[in-house]
Amino acid sequence: MIHVIMSRIVILFIALFCSADCMMADSFFIESSIKYKVIDNEHVNVAIQDDSLYSFYALKNDVLEIPAVVKHKGKSYRVKEIEKYAFTTCCAIKHLKIDEGVEVISDYAFQACANLESVSIPSSIKVVGAAPFQYCTCLTTIVVNKKNPVFDSREGCNAIIVTQDNSLIVGCSATKIPSSVRCIDKYAFMGCLAEVVAIPEGVERINYFAFSSCPNLKKIFIPASVESIEELAFDNCPEVISIVVDKNNTDYDSRNGSNAIIYSSDNKLIFGCSSTIIPQDIETIGEFAFSHCRKLQRIVIPEGVLCIADGAFEYCSNLKEVVFPTTLEIIGGASFGYCTSLESVTIPRGVYSIDSDIFRGCISLQKISVDSANEVFDSRNDCNAVIDTEQNKLVVGCKGTVVVDGIKSIGSRAFYKSGITSIHLPSSVESIESAAFKDCEYCMSITVEDSNKTYKSAGSNSVVEKATKELILACTTTQILPEVKVVGAYAYMNTPSLVILPEGIISIKECAFSECKTLQSIILPSSLKRIEESAFYGCKDLVHVALKSKDTEIHKFAFPFDKKLGK
């Protein structure tokens, strides 16, 4: 915890970082435009380059050569490692040559080097981290020295393969996967621009994110040898139109020309695309199966499907219509999250389990109806919400929701990132769970029925809990009532650029202003005793904080100092 005047907090942190830089001044140096970090008396690492986006324009023949030995002030150092994010977004590099002696290429070391065309890996490299060449969209040549005992690029395949277990860990648009490869590892082709990646017979495993974010990928063929396809292996590949699984595969299939990958034993569809026709005998739509399928506008889920798993249709931004089967029983978390074109849904009679945030980010969703024969949920009085009938609890809301009389509680994340513009709480509402209205950035009007015994609004455009005097819900137009003592967790859905908290407030709870991206300045009262963890988490534009008391207890992670310091 920190007990200082807020105006001194930033100064204190800046001073600490400046003193750290002074102490480490001799631990960094630059030679031939490359920044190094001293590890010990004999070794240095290639550090994160300063302003790498615009640096290195003086590269000879567009070649970046990482030396094995570098001299500085008359002393020689061995270069051991290229550190994480070292050359991220350095667009001046076209050709990368790493000298013999360098041992480690860390995670994301050359991420998004958009003009990088060729990479030469020496025999000394012992470790290659996760996705070192992720989003290097021009990369077509990858050569590993034949004497490297750990990695190889056999058969001129333009890839990095772990020799011992035949795992392909780095590929590119020109990669030809050898038949000896057994695993396509995580992130191997992430961001690759290839339209077709031929997975040969012999590959047994495709790990998560292996082909994620391949914007041009159109055709996928899964050979008979594949035994395992991990979740999100083909995530965010919006152009895919053809998916075929070899008929001899015993674990997966694409039955009836469905243009999908189906886990055969469980009848679970694990990956689909805009041209997928879901077969009649499917029981589960798997996790993230259609995620980021932006061309999908309408989906008919056939009778027999029992479960739609977490994130199944997340980020299908053009999805306008969903037809659910009467057999459906379970709808998982964020299963239709950020389907920003979705306007209307009907929950069938058999559904007995619904996660609260199934429609998070569906800012256009106006109408939710529950089949009148459903015994667990209802949408009474055309309220455009899902109500837990037994508990009288609103569990899923949307832009068009009306909180009708008789509802006793509003569940956590019920309106998370919805497009709701106004909220009225009737007298029946007794409890509002944490984050029920989190990130409802379009809401500008909040009222509470005068006869409500638990909450009040009194024309303040807020919700205040009477017993605790806690501000439960607030927005840009809120005028804080004089009796308020506490700003509650996730209280603010949105804010003006300047917020002035009045005297009398003694506590700001965790995540009270979380993700209020328009907040730039806040003035905090002398009565304030405590600011809890992540109170201002995600307030990316918050630059001015004025605190009148030196005795306020501030959690060390209450403010996003890293943002203000440009870290």
Side-chain angles (χ1 to χ4, degrees), residues 228-458:
S228 171
I229 302 174
E230 291 189 350
E231 185 179 291
L232 298 168
F234 296 95
D235 179 57
N236 194 15
C237 296
E239 297 298 319
V240 173
I241 56 174
S242 174
I243 305 170
V244 177
V245 179
D246 190 292
K247 292 180 179 179
N248 294 317
N249 191 301
T250 57
D251 295 289
Y252 300 95
D253 67 81
S254 53
R255 65 192 69 167
N256 305 328
S258 58
N259 275 314
I261 301 175
I262 298 163
Y263 189 54
S264 302
S265 62
D266 289 345
N267 292 313
K268 180 179 181 179
L269 191 154
I270 65 167
F271 181 66
C273 64
S274 59
S275 58
T276 294
I277 299 174
I278 303 173
Q280 294 289 331
D281 50 0
I282 294 300
E283 296 180 5
T284 301
I285 310 296
E287 296 85 350
F288 310 102
F290 290 86
S291 176
H292 292 92
C293 190
R294 291 189 288 273
K295 288 188 175 182
L296 189 66
Q297 296 185 22
R298 182 177 187 269
I299 190 74
V300 177
I301 302 173
E303 294 297 320
V305 172
L306 303 174
C307 173
I308 300 174
D310 295 353
F313 293 89
E314 194 173 31
Y315 294 104
C316 292
S317 55
N318 289 307
L319 182 62
K320 296 179 179 179
E321 183 181 2
V322 179
V323 179
F324 293 118
T326 59
T327 53
L328 189 64
E329 297 177 348
I330 299 169
I331 307 177
S335 49
F336 293 89
Y338 306 98
C339 292
T340 52
S341 298
L342 192 62
E343 296 180 354
S344 175
V345 292
T346 299
I347 306 300
R349 65 191 182 206
V351 173
Y352 64 83
S353 176
I354 296 180
D355 275 22
S356 60
D357 61 348
I358 59 171
F359 299 118
R360 72 180 180 196
C362 294
I363 57 175
S364 300
L365 185 60
Q366 286 272 13
K367 184 173 179 59
I368 301 175
S369 59
V370 179
D371 191 295
S372 59
N374 192 298
E375 297 180 355
V376 179
F377 302 108
D378 67 81
S379 53
R380 63 191 69 171
N381 302 325
D382 295 322
C383 64
N384 290 317
V386 179
I387 313 297
D388 183 313
T389 304
E390 184 177 352
Q391 300 183 63
N392 291 306
K393 178 179 180 178
L394 192 156
V395 293
V396 180
C398 69
K399 181 179 181 179
T401 295
V402 177
V403 184
V404 296
D405 197 36
I407 293 174
K408 292 186 176 181
S409 64
I410 300 175
S412 177
R413 296 177 175 249
F415 288 87
Y416 182 31
K417 288 185 178 291
S418 74
I420 195 166
T421 58
S422 64
I423 299 166
H424 176 75
L425 302 183
S427 59
S428 60
V429 174
E430 300 172 351
S431 69
I432 302 171
E433 294 182 5
S434 176
F437 294 91
K438 177 173 165 49
D439 295 347
C440 292
E441 59 182 307
Y442 301 103
C443 185
M444 298 295 169
S445 173
I446 307 169
T447 56
V448 179
E449 194 75 33
D450 290 340
S451 57
N452 190 295
K453 295 180 180 180
T454 306
Y455 302 107
K456 66 182 296 186
S457 179

Side-chain angles (χ1 to χ4, degrees), residues 91-104:
C91 297
I93 307 169
K94 285 190 176 181
H95 308 286
L96 172 64
K97 183 179 184 298
I98 302 172
D99 287 355
E100 289 291 343
V102 179
E103 297 179 356
V104 179

Side-chain angles (χ1 to χ4, degrees), residues 504-521:
I505 291 177
I506 60 174
S507 174
I508 300 175
K509 288 191 173 181
E510 71 278 1
C511 300
F513 292 86
S514 174
E515 302 291 348
C516 288
K517 296 179 176 62
T518 56
L519 181 61
Q520 297 177 9
S521 306

Side-chain angles (χ1 to χ4, degrees), residues 174-218:
T175 296
K176 184 177 180 181
I177 304 171
S179 59
S180 55
V181 166
R182 295 294 171 261
C183 173
I184 300 174
D185 210 350
K186 56 185 182 295
Y187 312 117
F189 288 90
M190 192 171 189
C192 175
L193 294 184
E195 292 188 8
V196 180
V197 178
I199 302 173
E201 188 66 34
V203 172
E204 298 171 352
R205 302 185 311 281
I206 304 174
N207 289 348
Y208 66 91
F209 291 117
F211 293 92
S212 175
S213 302
C214 293
N216 297 334
L217 186 61
K218 291 180 171 61

